[in-house]
Structures are given as structure tokens and as C-alpha cells.
Amino acid sequence: SQTIHQWPATLVQPVGSPLSLECTVEGTSNPNLYWYRQAAGRGLQLLFYSVGIGQISSEVPQNLSASRPQDRQFILSSKKLLLSDSGFYLCAWSKGSLGDTFGSGTRLTVV
Amino acid sequence: AQSVTQPDIHITVSEGASLELRCNYSYGATPYLFWYVQSPGQGLQLLLKYFSGDTLVQGIKGFEAEFKRSQSSFNLRKPSVHWSDAAEYFCAVGNDYKLSFGAGTTVTVRA
């Protein structure tokens, strides 16, 4: 069966520090991978998606970037965090039209 | 452009009573429609999805949803709510690669 792992679960970072969130998927090959952000009291905002290694589509201009160095690995990064980057970040994968399967999320607080 | 509206931010329902969560969408073609549930601090779990065919879709945990093209709606229902159904519910519309989520409806279950 397929599983998705996302870490860390919580993170507190100072303003201006770098960020690296990692997501890996097991049990499938060539999945579509996604990073979403969920701000308090709001729905999910799609940040990036990838349909293959090295292929990244950005949905919203921002302080963040994404990379897919391996087929089942998706990384969300920032060189310098802003206060507005605080939120709940969710990684997800899908295969074809199955709908996204989500990881357990990372709660990021920028202080 | 695709978008989703969940008109109800918060719904309170008594345990054992019926529940209906509203979802209206805007999409240029035949949509793929989804309902997800999120417990506090957790990722999203897929409840059900509609791609084509029978407009009444059965999901997990006793939930069902009905696709009504004429009303651009995909409302979620449960005949008898359990205390464990207290959570946030998200409707989503999209295609193979991208989903757009509503802002969510928080469900509180009272004894």
C-alpha cells in the first residue's frame, strides 16, 4: 500500500532563517506531488505541484520554492522566512484522477 | 478558473441528528469533485469523490454526496451524526493535476 511521510510535524523558526520541509511517498512510482498551505481559518492554497522529477509548477508567487530531486521526494524550501510564512503545510500525492492523499502536515511558526 | 464556495463556516448539530454541508463550485468543464475531512492538527482524509456516472456518491464513515449539475452543487450528507464526526470538512474541485479547495466548514457535535 502507499504511504506518505512528512516531517517535521512542528517547527518554530526565527524570521530570516532558512526552511526545508521534506515529503516522501512509498509504494507507488511517478506520483503527482503537491505542497499546500493552510492558514488559520482558511482553506488550502496550492503552492507547488510536480508531475515528474525536476518538474515544478508554482501556483502562487511567494518566498518559497520547491524541488523534486527524486521520483518520490518533494522538498519545500525558503532562504529567508517571513512572519507571513507561518501556517500548516501539507504535502500530498495523487496518481491520475484519484484525488490527493495527504500527509499529516507540518505546523510552521515563524517568530 | 475553478473555485469552490462553502457557504457555512460553522455548523452545530446534535448527536444523532442529520447533517448537510453545502458546496457550490465553478468549473469550465465536467468537474471532479471531492469531500475531505480534517481532524485538528492532522492532514486531510478523503471521504468521497465524484468523477462521472451516478450522481449520488457513497463514501466512508456513512457519508454521501449528491452532484447536481443544474445547481453547481455537491452537498455532503450524513443521516445520523456521531460525536467523532466533529471536524473540519473541505469540498474540492479539480482535474488530474490541481484541486481547488473551499474555505471549509467546521462541524461541532453536541451531546
Short mmCIF file of all heavy atoms in Angstrom, two decimals, chain A residues 13-16 37 63 80-87 89 108-111:
data_model
loop_
_atom_site.label_atom_id
_atom_site.label_comp_id
_atom_site.label_asym_id
_atom_site.label_seq_id
_atom_site.Cartn_x
_atom_site.Cartn_y
_atom_site.Cartn_z
N GLN A 13 10.67 28.63 13.79
CA GLN A 13 11.87 29.19 13.17
C GLN A 13 11.87 30.71 13.31
O GLN A 13 10.82 31.34 13.21
CB GLN A 13 11.91 28.84 11.69
CG GLN A 13 12.14 27.36 11.37
CD GLN A 13 13.59 26.96 11.58
OE1 GLN A 13 13.92 26.41 12.63
NE2 GLN A 13 14.43 27.25 10.60
N PRO A 14 13.03 31.33 13.49
CA PRO A 14 13.09 32.79 13.54
C PRO A 14 12.97 33.39 12.15
O PRO A 14 13.30 32.76 11.13
CB PRO A 14 14.46 33.07 14.15
CG PRO A 14 15.27 31.86 13.85
CD PRO A 14 14.34 30.71 13.80
N VAL A 15 12.48 34.61 12.10
CA VAL A 15 12.42 35.35 10.85
C VAL A 15 13.81 35.43 10.23
O VAL A 15 14.80 35.67 10.94
CB VAL A 15 11.86 36.78 11.10
CG1 VAL A 15 12.04 37.65 9.87
CG2 VAL A 15 10.40 36.72 11.49
N GLY A 16 13.89 35.23 8.93
CA GLY A 16 15.16 35.32 8.24
C GLY A 16 15.94 34.02 8.17
O GLY A 16 16.95 33.94 7.46
N ARG A 37 -0.60 25.06 1.55
CA ARG A 37 -0.53 25.78 2.81
C ARG A 37 -1.94 26.08 3.28
O ARG A 37 -2.81 26.47 2.50
CB ARG A 37 0.26 27.09 2.69
CG ARG A 37 0.29 27.89 4.00
CD ARG A 37 1.27 29.02 3.94
NE ARG A 37 0.99 29.94 2.86
CZ ARG A 37 1.89 30.77 2.34
NH1 ARG A 37 3.12 30.79 2.81
NH2 ARG A 37 1.55 31.58 1.36
N ASN A 63 7.67 33.59 -1.18
CA ASN A 63 9.00 33.47 -0.61
C ASN A 63 9.50 32.03 -0.58
O ASN A 63 10.54 31.75 -0.01
CB ASN A 63 8.93 34.04 0.82
CG ASN A 63 10.26 34.10 1.47
OD1 ASN A 63 11.25 34.47 0.86
ND2 ASN A 63 10.32 33.72 2.74
N LYS A 80 14.92 32.67 3.31
CA LYS A 80 14.71 33.57 4.45
C LYS A 80 13.23 33.61 4.78
O LYS A 80 12.43 34.18 4.03
CB LYS A 80 15.21 34.98 4.14
CG LYS A 80 16.71 35.13 4.04
CD LYS A 80 17.11 36.59 3.85
CE LYS A 80 18.62 36.75 3.80
NZ LYS A 80 19.02 38.18 3.65
N LEU A 81 12.87 33.07 5.91
CA LEU A 81 11.47 33.03 6.29
C LEU A 81 10.93 34.40 6.70
O LEU A 81 11.64 35.21 7.30
CB LEU A 81 11.27 32.05 7.45
CG LEU A 81 11.29 30.56 7.09
CD1 LEU A 81 11.36 29.72 8.35
CD2 LEU A 81 10.08 30.19 6.25
N LEU A 82 9.66 34.61 6.37
CA LEU A 82 8.92 35.79 6.80
C LEU A 82 7.88 35.38 7.83
O LEU A 82 7.47 34.22 7.89
CB LEU A 82 8.23 36.43 5.59
CG LEU A 82 9.09 36.78 4.38
CD1 LEU A 82 8.22 37.22 3.22
CD2 LEU A 82 10.12 37.85 4.73
N LEU A 83 7.41 36.35 8.59
CA LEU A 83 6.35 36.06 9.55
C LEU A 83 5.12 35.48 8.84
O LEU A 83 4.45 34.58 9.35
CB LEU A 83 5.94 37.31 10.31
CG LEU A 83 6.92 37.81 11.38
CD1 LEU A 83 6.45 39.15 11.94
CD2 LEU A 83 7.06 36.79 12.50
N SER A 84 4.85 35.97 7.65
CA SER A 84 3.66 35.55 6.91
C SER A 84 3.77 34.13 6.38
O SER A 84 2.80 33.59 5.84
CB SER A 84 3.41 36.50 5.74
OG SER A 84 4.55 36.55 4.90
N ASP A 85 4.94 33.51 6.53
CA ASP A 85 5.09 32.11 6.10
C ASP A 85 4.55 31.12 7.13
O ASP A 85 4.47 29.92 6.86
CB ASP A 85 6.57 31.80 5.83
CG ASP A 85 7.11 32.53 4.63
OD1 ASP A 85 6.35 32.68 3.64
OD2 ASP A 85 8.29 32.95 4.65
N SER A 86 4.17 31.62 8.28
CA SER A 86 3.60 30.73 9.31
C SER A 86 2.32 30.10 8.77
O SER A 86 1.53 30.73 8.07
CB SER A 86 3.28 31.52 10.57
OG SER A 86 4.45 31.98 11.19
N GLY A 87 2.13 28.84 9.13
CA GLY A 87 0.92 28.14 8.69
C GLY A 87 1.10 26.64 8.80
O GLY A 87 2.09 26.15 9.34
N TYR A 89 1.49 23.32 6.69
CA TYR A 89 1.90 22.92 5.35
C TYR A 89 1.61 21.43 5.16
O TYR A 89 1.99 20.59 5.99
CB TYR A 89 3.40 23.19 5.15
CG TYR A 89 3.69 24.67 5.04
CD1 TYR A 89 3.85 25.45 6.18
CD2 TYR A 89 3.78 25.28 3.79
CE1 TYR A 89 4.09 26.81 6.08
CE2 TYR A 89 4.02 26.64 3.68
CZ TYR A 89 4.17 27.40 4.82
OH TYR A 89 4.40 28.74 4.72
N LEU A 108 4.21 25.20 11.00
CA LEU A 108 5.36 26.11 11.00
C LEU A 108 4.97 27.41 11.67
O LEU A 108 3.99 28.06 11.28
CB LEU A 108 5.83 26.39 9.57
CG LEU A 108 6.90 27.48 9.42
CD1 LEU A 108 8.20 27.04 10.08
CD2 LEU A 108 7.13 27.81 7.94
N THR A 109 5.74 27.79 12.65
CA THR A 109 5.55 29.08 13.31
C THR A 109 6.83 29.87 13.13
O THR A 109 7.91 29.43 13.56
CB THR A 109 5.26 28.91 14.81
OG1 THR A 109 4.10 28.08 14.97
CG2 THR A 109 4.98 30.27 15.45
N VAL A 110 6.71 31.02 12.51
CA VAL A 110 7.86 31.90 12.32
C VAL A 110 7.77 33.00 13.37
O VAL A 110 6.75 33.68 13.49
CB VAL A 110 7.88 32.49 10.91
CG1 VAL A 110 9.12 33.37 10.73
CG2 VAL A 110 7.85 31.38 9.87
N VAL A 111 8.85 33.15 14.14
CA VAL A 111 8.82 34.09 15.27
C VAL A 111 9.85 35.20 15.10
O VAL A 111 10.79 35.08 14.29
CB VAL A 111 9.05 33.36 16.61
CG1 VAL A 111 7.92 32.38 16.85
CG2 VAL A 111 10.40 32.65 16.60
#
